[in-house]
Amino acid sequence: MKKIIASVSGLIGGNSQADKMVPPTGFTVRLTLFASGAMAFLAVFALALSMASGRLAQRWGDELAHSSTLRISAPVEQIAAQTAAAMQVLSTTPGIENARPMSSAEQRALLSPWFGPDLPVENLPIPQLIEIEETSGGYDAAGLRLRLQAEVPGAVLDDHTRWRRPLQQAAGRLRLLGILSILLIAAVTGAIITLAANAALSANSQVIRVLRLVGAQDDYITMAFVRRFTLRALTGAAVGTLVGFIAVLLLPSAQDNAGFLTGLGFSGLSFLWLFPLPILAALVAFFATGAAARRTLSEFR
Amino acid sequence: MIELDNIAYSYGGGELLSDITLSLQPGSFYFLTGPSGAGKTTFMKLCYGALTPTAGSARLFGQDVRKMTRVDQANTRRRIGVVHQDCQFLDHLPLNENVALPLTVSGKDNLEQVSNLKELLAWVGLKNRALALPPELSGGERQRAALARAVIMSPDVVLADEPTGNVDWEMSQRLLQLLIELNKMGKTVLIATHDMNLIRTAKSKVQARVLRIANRRVQLAGADL
Ligand SMILES: Nc1ncnc2c1ncn2[C@@H]1O[C@H](COP(=O)(O)OP(=O)(O)OP(=O)(O)O)[C@@H](O)[C@H]1O
Ligand SMILES: [Mg+2]
């Protein structure tokens, strides 16, 4: 623990002397900056995707979970009577908190994405919808269907489960894929930084030999490399994250009915989740370079 | 400080050195001689713990080399000043920073030490070459810089591997003089060389013992030199 604190403080406080001991190796600088930048950029999208699917899953869950819809399709002149009969049945069903026929204005609003706002709902033989709110315990859908069949022939009960399940499952999967992508991105970043660090270490084998000969501790030499790569990864990832964030901001803004694609942006404070990305990159670089350095150092006495 | 107890060393083939029992007496002045390839550099590496004997035990400041951790190894190196045969500088750093390297890596490069550095550079006559890069230095300048680096931590022992290897007679006398001064300050000095003239002149100035590597063994040479 002490060791970790010491190395973190060395990392932040910095030891410009130790940095000077190791001459920078041009291409490893560029490789690390580029890789961590590009990977952070990709991670922003993975994160946005994962959060959008999370939001979607939640929205569907909330909106659909404790509600169902009863649809009454009947000849226009029978609709009112059947609606009343259905309300009667619903009001005596245990597990139903509240049931309410939708007004024609509400129905028009539901249909407007497909038919536009000027649809003359009143004159069309469209079914009447009854919105049902369940109690937390829920009701017995099969029993209700039987009773409705007997008393309200035009009623169809839609308890939303057949919509909800696959949608929620898909949203959950998407979210998982998003998280998995971030982990893969972290792993690839680690692999690339390990390659770069190994290249820098072997380019500097003479430096390491001399430092050991004059009494440098392994930790001192390790930190000279670790510090450099960690800072590079942090810088690269910060730039990549910023560019990714701007790119997401520039997506067309989310509209009420535009669905999933435009819902990719960051809502509210969720953009705060971007801050850990550069830190994750720095951590990956810290451990990858540390491991590479210790491996190399064991070859020198 | 450096005690070798019946040690042997081989790089993998046959034994290069065998049956060596020797302990360096504090404050003494030693020469180590023997033909090229006899194992002088190898012997020195055994003395500062860069190699572990393949048989027997080497103790540095009371600590068995075989039981040293990497941290111990680094700490031991700060107590033994070594002038390497090939100097071993960092070519991208100027001479003064190369000389100060042992201080820097041990976190002791404070102001007081920096003034010591100036004195040290003056002592080896490199005050006005302080900012030169190692590849820009002459052989003699490199050897003097290596000597300055070897003593900057005020070690008790100074091991110099062919310190006069590629310098002219005058410069070798100057380097010898510096090493004799160190010995007068109480440091144990061991110089590997095959330059018999150097040993002869040294003997007129300081009480020097001569170790000779012959037939894989290190023996104290008689007065026949
Ligand atoms: N790392 C190594 N691996 C294998 N063999 C080695 C290694 N280093 C040295 N040797 C061999 O060990 C022998 C002794 O080498 P060493 O450098 O100790 O000799 P030396 O007495 O210092 O010679 P010189 O006077 O030329 O510096 C040589 O034959 C050399 O080739
Ligand atoms: Mg040698």
Side-chain angles (χ1 to χ4, degrees), chain A residues 53 76 144 146 170 204 225 227 258:
Chain A
S53 13
V76 184
L144 181 59
L146 282 176
N204 285 302
F225 287 92
R227 189 177 129 78

Side-chain angles (χ1 to χ4, degrees), chain A residues 65 67-70 89-90 93-96 132 134-135 137-150 155-162 164-165:
Chain A
S67 73
S68 20
T69 319
L70 193 66
V89 171
L90 292 173
T93 306
I96 290 184
I132 302 170
E134 302 166 24
T135 61
Y139 59 86
D140 169 19
L144 181 59
R145 279 207 182 88
L146 282 176
R147 284 180 63 200
L148 286 170
Q149 218 170 21
V156 179
L157 178 66
D158 177 3
D159 61 3
H160 294 176
T161 40
R162 82 198 150 98
R164 211 159 71 210
R165 281 237 184 80

Side-chain angles (χ1 to χ4, degrees), chain A residues 108-197:
Chain A
R108 187 184 296 131
L110 281 179
L111 293 174
S112 66
W114 287 275
F115 300 108
D118 301 325
L119 184 71
V121 181
E122 292 81 1
N123 306 332
L124 287 172
I126 58 168
Q128 169 69 46
L129 298 178
I130 299 176
E131 210 175 63
I132 302 170
E133 259 179 64
E134 302 166 24
T135 61
S136 55
Y139 59 86
D140 169 19
L144 181 59
R145 279 207 182 88
L146 282 176
R147 284 180 63 200
L148 286 170
Q149 218 170 21
E151 297 178 34
V152 191
V156 179
L157 178 66
D158 177 3
D159 61 3
H160 294 176
T161 40
R162 82 198 150 98
W163 298 108
R164 211 159 71 210
R165 281 237 184 80
L167 283 176
Q168 266 182 326
Q169 259 172 10
R173 269 313 143 64
L174 267 176
R175 174 176 227 178
L176 201 68
L177 283 179
I179 292 168
L180 194 68
S181 311
I182 291 177
L183 291 180
L184 279 176
I185 288 170
V188 173
T189 311
I192 295 176
I193 291 179
T194 301
L195 280 178

